[in-house]
Amino acid sequence: MLQLEIISPDETLFSGNVKLVQVPGQKNPFTVLNNHDRIISSLIKGKVRIVDMADKTRFFEIGGGVVEVNNNKIIILVDSLNTNPGK
């Protein structure tokens, strides 16, 4: 189980436990699963995909940002966001 927060300059967009997170990394997209190594990476414009504990998939379209993974906690700071929770 991973604890995820997605934060924009204006608000917390998502906070909860998830099974996996896929992010648009600067060099390549990558997936974060339970017990992932520590990492800090810049993000480019693209989609963040999350799968929550009920196996529901949600997408967040971001304009770029930064992700930090440490001890099964993921913090994604985004520049801008358009949400498409049903897609």
Side-chain angles (χ1 to χ4, degrees):
M1 176 174 58
L2 300 162
Q3 182 182 0
L4 171 66
E5 286 187 281
I6 301 175
I7 303 168
S8 77
D10 301 322
E11 63 183 316
T12 297
L13 303 160
F14 181 89
S15 182
N17 295 322
V18 298
K19 291 183 177 180
L20 72 83
V21 179
Q22 291 178 327
V23 295
Q26 185 72 36
K27 292 186 178 183
N28 290 307
F30 63 91
T31 301
V32 178
L33 298 168
N34 197 38
N35 295 320
H36 195 282
D37 283 339
R38 293 179 66 182
I39 188 172
I40 296 175
S41 177
S42 57
L43 302 175
I44 61 171
K45 182 178 179 180
K47 289 184 180 179
V48 173
R49 175 180 173 248
I50 65 170
V51 177
D52 67 19
M53 298 307 291
D55 287 324
K56 181 180 177 183
T57 299
R58 295 177 63 185
F59 291 92
F60 295 87
E61 186 77 31
I62 65 168
V66 176
V67 61
E68 178 183 14
V69 179
N70 189 11
N71 293 326
N72 291 322
K73 182 172 182 176
I74 305 167
I75 299 173
I76 300 175
L77 304 173
V78 298
D79 299 335
S80 62
L81 177 100
N82 295 318
T83 58
N84 297 309
K87 294 191 173 188

